[in-house]
């Protein structure tokens, strides 16, 4: 569908200009410099522009120019009309470089909507508005006003910031990194990251997909598409706005802990996207994937002429969870036979400061042949006798022919620059620091397992959906934002066991209910004005007989009245006391981009002070629910430690899947939290002790 | 003392050579190239070397050559004799470049000791052996065989790896970063990091001190010296071996959690040293301190021509704990008057993609004048209209004259290289990524508070040292490595309250003791074969009367026999049960470099699974003990949350200070752990429930 966007027969530039310094001239020049055949300037003053025949309007351009793409660089207010004309002229693709749309305010946003509607009317696809343009190094299309043209390569890059496009292009120019396609997404009025992900998935010239994003437009689609794409091609994204606090009012732990970034972290992980921590890391990883085969494991050999760099690299590998390889006997023997006596023959291999290019090359080949080695980090320090350039020349062929990745760090400055250039000329990155080489190696190893992961879809469990439906409809029609005890019924209808619990209004009722459900019981104050019951003395535990209940009832009422005289008391909740379990918490917060974001953690202080929780975007598969449970740091506390019986982890996983289904079934549920879910010993299930639903009542 | 080492009147090269490729020639050439007047080659074949009169031996060199420094580059086995001759000739300083000493094995180590003894005999000070040499850009001394000479500057750098010296020099050559002194420490047989720290402290040409270290030779001295130096000059150290597990057998949480690196982290923090995470970070921070004044606070302004880079920088600032500045009204008005309407006037200031050098400069000056701004990060992306080089030229003077740091990131590659060169030519760093600029800014801000910190010395508390002395002497003479109940007496003698506790051998005794100390009681099995009592059923809690004690005694004995039939049972400990407190843990592990390393954390699962603990090298001051307590993540749990009464934190601090004094007084205590120390409500103190001492019995 988008093939012609990148490989058009003819390109029109609407707003082409002769004037130096004008964007309309820069675009035209860029197109002309890179071998597109039919380039058609469109300008109210027709005649010739830069030697090309110009036309007054796009409708005046003859059919034989086969214009498939129009690049629009005219003031915003004229753009809708221009797109309309493109539509009428049968041009299926437009790139709107012009600014002055949504980013500029209300009138701009209206214009942008108008453009989109016109596109949709004619089936025209649009990149932008407010973008730098697009590049295809295969077809030779440079429909941008950038000062650099991309080099040819296999990385497809898209960016929500035009300026960051220019940074990336300029960086790539200096490091000789090549791109297949280059897209400045602009305001993403029509085409967005999802469209291009899909397109790049099937684009033969693309092996690696990278992006700078400030957000995704459609979260659920993004996950679906990225899950598929990452099975065949690595996707590396740097997303900004990581630490912005966001302004949503939140009333649960889930909301507070999630912030604005946890959903992205979860969504990227769930869809196999590699999240880069910075722009430079995104570029570093992209060039690693572009240049190297994937390692088959995480056992890394280090070859160095400087012991100190070797130790630092081993440190960095260890921090990244990469293993220092244990060499085969034959490797060590071969190294012993060829390296000087003071050399270190074990990983990290130190070939010593006076190693010649031949010594380096031989050590590299020896280590490369070792079956216990999955990848190599090669370090060169520019010591007095070191022939950095010769070393670089010697190893280029080894690296190029290798089925294992060999990542290089020629460390230093002036004296390694020629060697660096040698590597880069041959399409081999030189990482400016050992840490960047290690981070890139880690990404290669990680993607090897992402690529081969099993796919497990969320299963549908049979539940009593209609019961919940009725409760929620009722809440919506009564504008009842926070649910009361009916929350427990929702859980029950989705097959989650809840504690036996009643709400009472008087002491005699409290005693009666206690006798009925059986001692010991717990009492909790019920009031929509009180969020933290403990703080006001609103919870009494372990009541063993009627006298206990009476004493507790009276003192609780007086405490609550004392602490919060204004609170409206709806009653007292009497619950069966459950003991011997572990408290966990399951929450859900609706993320603006990705929808229902589930949270799991151990209850109480673990959640509050240690933020030891995990997040996943619902719906979750069984594997994903398992991951949620096992990825918290306090997992050993429920898995069983020190001879203690393990908790019923399967019942937590089951509850997570049911909650996942519930919040997917009912978008009206805005926030949700079971706190605590009491998990009993293995085989004995779990039971929800308290739950809080916030319903979207509009 | 070391002044003449770096600024000698004359320098002898023992082992000077005419042969190309020989280290002895490279050293001579380096010395000659940099303006030292009296250079004296020493070589068994006298005559002339590179035009200089050579001598057979150092004793043949005439007095008027005023040789203050001898650089030794002869085979290891001849070095002791050469040093001896230097001593006899009255030469006070030697730099031993030759390798083949401790690093090469037993014979080398012997030679190294011999060299040191000769040095000490004559009062000769030695750098090395096995090093690259030393540089002083002030005196023009280049006594190394490095291929690069350092540029003049104010950074003193020392490195335990010669190869890393060459990397740093080569990097600095490309980035135009200058050094005052440059020292390759080598094997540190005589002079080590502590000597040079002290020397650099008083060296007027040095403003910044940096080091690559693999370890420190004398930990306690290092802390004392660094504490003083960091009050006047920033000290930045990258230490390798961060993640190596170490091979010591450890039997406590403290030991396991400390690993080999926690002591370095604590010692660096306690002495005000800034620890860099990587070599490149060490260099980045060094050039920041070298080039910029210190910011007076953490409020940072960002000026950019690319919104995306601005967001990424704000993210990075926020992660680093830097604040995005709130501008004064006047700043915003001034920006509004001079920037285009679409520009962002609030921090991060976006001057837009077509900003000229003048616009950039004006925005920078406006923000700089704002009283709410402590430092600025300046970002430039190479957009189509961006005149990167002109911008660089325009801002050089502003940056140089500014009393606030302005850190730059010209982002890109080819098109920013000239601007980068312009900055660097003027001694201004260009950070290759915004993250590196932010990390450097963070270090500047952090050092501002390190420099001004109050000094508080550990106080001496009056304790009954003789009681402990007797117990430990007794343990040593009886080869009693693990102390029993007498551990509690040690704590008591140091003023730490311990739980009432007795060891019994029979059930009647257990009941008798229980009656005596008062119910409820706790019983614990006593056996040096059992480390984890819980695992074998060796602990019974909350025994409320004689029947409870009887039942518990019998079942505990049968459980322990079942789980560990081989364990030798020394008896049963009967303790007063203490409830209502919070369990914390205080431990100590003796670090090979720094000595007693204290650990503090919350008891139980917090320590084991969350590793939420803090470390300090003893002796600790009150401030340091406070820091230990308040720096754990779970601190709110003892500080009081949700209306819960705070724990008696002062009593924990007091206990830490007493323990600090104990382990400082008695180096025989190898390991130590109170687990748990039960902390009661504020004002009610704390009480040690269990303690374990490991004594060095040789």
């Amino acid at each position: 569908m988008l093939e012609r966007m990148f490989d058009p027969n003819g390109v029109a530039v609407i707003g082409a200009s002769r004037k130096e310094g004008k964007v309309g001239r820069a675009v035209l020049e860029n197109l002309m410099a890179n071998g597109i055949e039919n380039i058609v300037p469109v300008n109210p003053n027709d005649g010739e522009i830069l030697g090309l025949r110009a036309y007054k309007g796009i409708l005046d351009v003859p059919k034989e120019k086969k214009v498939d793409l129009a690049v629009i660089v005219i003031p915003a207010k004229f753009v809708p009309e221009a797109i309309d004309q493109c539509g009428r002229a049968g041009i299926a693709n437009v790139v709107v470089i012009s600014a002055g749309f949504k980013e500029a305010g209300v009138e701009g946003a209206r214009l942008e909507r108008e453009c989109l509607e016109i596109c949709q009317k004619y089936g025209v696809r649009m990149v932008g508005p407010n973008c730098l343009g697009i590049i295809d190094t295969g077809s030779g299309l440079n429909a941008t006003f950038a000062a650099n043209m991309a080099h040819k390569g296999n990385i497809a890059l898209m960016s929500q910031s035009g300026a960051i496009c220019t940074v990336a292009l300029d960086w790539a120019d200096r490091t000789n990194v090549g791109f297949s396609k280059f897209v400045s997404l602009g305001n993403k009025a029509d085409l967005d990251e999802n469209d291009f992900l899909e397109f790049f998935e099937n684009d033969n010239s693309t092996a690696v997909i990278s992006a700078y994003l400030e957000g995704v437009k459609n979260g659920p689609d993004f996950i679906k598409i990225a899950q598929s794409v990452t099975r065949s091609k690595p996707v590396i994204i740097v997303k900004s706005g990581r630490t912005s606090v966001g302004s949503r009012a939140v009333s649960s732990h889930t909301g507070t802990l999630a912030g604005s970034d946890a959903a992205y972290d979860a969504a990227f992980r769930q869809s196999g996207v590699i999240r880069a921590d910075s722009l430079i890391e995104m570029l570093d990883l992209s060039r690693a994937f572009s240049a190297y085969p994937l390692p088959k494991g995480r056992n890394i050999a280090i070859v160095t002429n400087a012991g100190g760099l070797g130790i630092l690299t081993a440190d960095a590998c260890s921090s990244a969870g990469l293993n220092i390889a244990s060499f085969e006997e034959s490797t060590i023997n071969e190294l012993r036979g060829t390296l000087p006596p003071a050399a270190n023959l074990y990983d990290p291999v130190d070939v010593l400061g006076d190693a010649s290019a031949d010594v380096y090359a031989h050590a590299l080949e020896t280590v490369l042949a070792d079956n216990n080695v999955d990848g190599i980090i090669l370090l060169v320090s520019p010591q007095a006798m070191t022939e950095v350039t010769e070393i670089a020349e010697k190893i280029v062929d080894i690296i190029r022919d290798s089925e294992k990745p060999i990542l290089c760090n020629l460390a230093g400055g002036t004296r390694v620059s020629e060697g660096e250039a040698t590597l880069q000329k041959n399409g081999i990155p030189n990482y400016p620091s050992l840490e960047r080489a290690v981070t890139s190696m880690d990404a290669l190893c990680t993607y090897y397992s992402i690529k081969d992961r099993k796919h497990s879809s969320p299963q549908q469990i049979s539940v009593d959906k209609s019961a919940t439906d009725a409760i929620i409809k009722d809440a919506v029609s009564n504008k009842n934002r926070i649910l009361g005890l009916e929350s427990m019924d929702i859980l029950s209808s989705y097959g989650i066991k809840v504690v036996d619990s009643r709400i009472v209004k008087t002491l005699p009722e409290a005693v009666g209910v206690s006798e009925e459900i059986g001692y010991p019981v717990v009492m909790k104050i019920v009031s929509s004005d009180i969020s933290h019951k403990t703080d006001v003395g609103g919870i009494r535990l372990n009541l063993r007989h009627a006298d206990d209940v009476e004493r507790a009832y009276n003192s609780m009422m007086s405490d609550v009245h004392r602490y919060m005289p204004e609170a409206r008391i709806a009653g007292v909740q009497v619950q069966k006391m459950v003991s011997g379990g572990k408290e966990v918490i399951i929450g859900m917060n609706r993320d603006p981009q990705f929808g229902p974001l589930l949270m799991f953690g151990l209850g109480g202080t673990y959640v509050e002070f240690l933020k030891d929780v995990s997040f996943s975007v619902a719906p979750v598969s069984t594997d994903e629910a398992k991951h949620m449970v096992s990825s918290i740091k306090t997992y050993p506390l429920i898995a069983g430690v020190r001879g203690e019986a393990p908790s019923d982890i399967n019942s937590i996983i089951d509850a997570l899947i049911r909650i996942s289904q519930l919040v997917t079934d009912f978008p009206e549920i805005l926030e949700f939290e079971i706190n605590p879910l009491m998990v009993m010993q293995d085989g004995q299930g779990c039971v929800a002790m308290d739950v809080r639903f916030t319903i979207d009542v509009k």
Side-chain angles (χ1 to χ4, degrees), chain A residues 548-697:
Chain A
D548 274 4
V549 171
E550 185 176 341
R551 247 194 317 274
Y553 188 94
N554 291 330
S555 72
M556 182 163 79
M557 283 303 174
S558 90
D559 281 357
V560 169
H561 284 298
R562 184 149 41 88
Y563 285 116
M564 289 192 71
E566 309 292 308
R568 288 155 301 176
I569 309 297
V572 168
Q573 186 175 2
V574 181
Q575 267 185 0
K576 178 82 183 163
M577 170 132 173
V578 177
S579 52
K582 293 259 162 65
E583 294 188 0
V584 303
I585 175 172
I586 295 179
M588 186 279 298
N589 192 50
R590 216 161 273 277
D591 182 80
Q593 264 74 38
F594 293 99
L597 182 66
L598 296 180
M599 185 191 84
F600 169 76
L602 258 67
T605 54
Y606 294 104
V607 168
E608 259 183 274
F609 301 107
L610 299 168
K611 299 178 177 36
D612 180 26
V613 293
S614 58
F615 292 96
S616 293
V617 176
V620 298
S621 64
T622 306
D623 283 346
E624 183 60 25
K626 271 184 196 160
H627 176 87
M628 285 191 79
V629 177
S630 61
S631 64
I632 61 170
K633 288 198 208 102
T634 38
Y635 177 67
L637 294 187
I638 48 175
V641 281
R642 289 273 166 86
E644 217 188 2
S647 301
D648 195 337
I649 287 168
N650 286 329
S651 75
I652 307 177
I653 292 166
D654 181 62
L656 279 167
I657 294 168
R658 289 170 186 275
I659 295 299
S660 164
Q661 189 167 325
L662 168 65
V663 298
T664 310
D665 286 347
F666 294 96
E668 298 90 341
I669 303 174
L670 287 181
E671 280 193 299
F672 160 84
E673 198 164 278
I674 307 182
N675 184 15
L677 178 74
M678 196 69 88
V679 188
M680 313 312 287
Q681 282 193 11
D682 197 17
Q684 294 173 29
C686 58
V687 50
M689 304 301 293
D690 204 353
V691 61
R692 185 186 168 91
F693 278 93
T694 310
I695 303 296
D696 185 2
V697 295

Side-chain angles (χ1 to χ4, degrees), chain A residues 24-43:
Chain A
R25 174 173 170 138
V27 172
L28 196 60
E29 283 180 331
N30 277 341
L31 282 169
M32 291 169 69
N34 290 284
I36 291 291
E37 284 204 10
N38 292 317
I39 302 171
V40 183
V42 174
N43 189 299

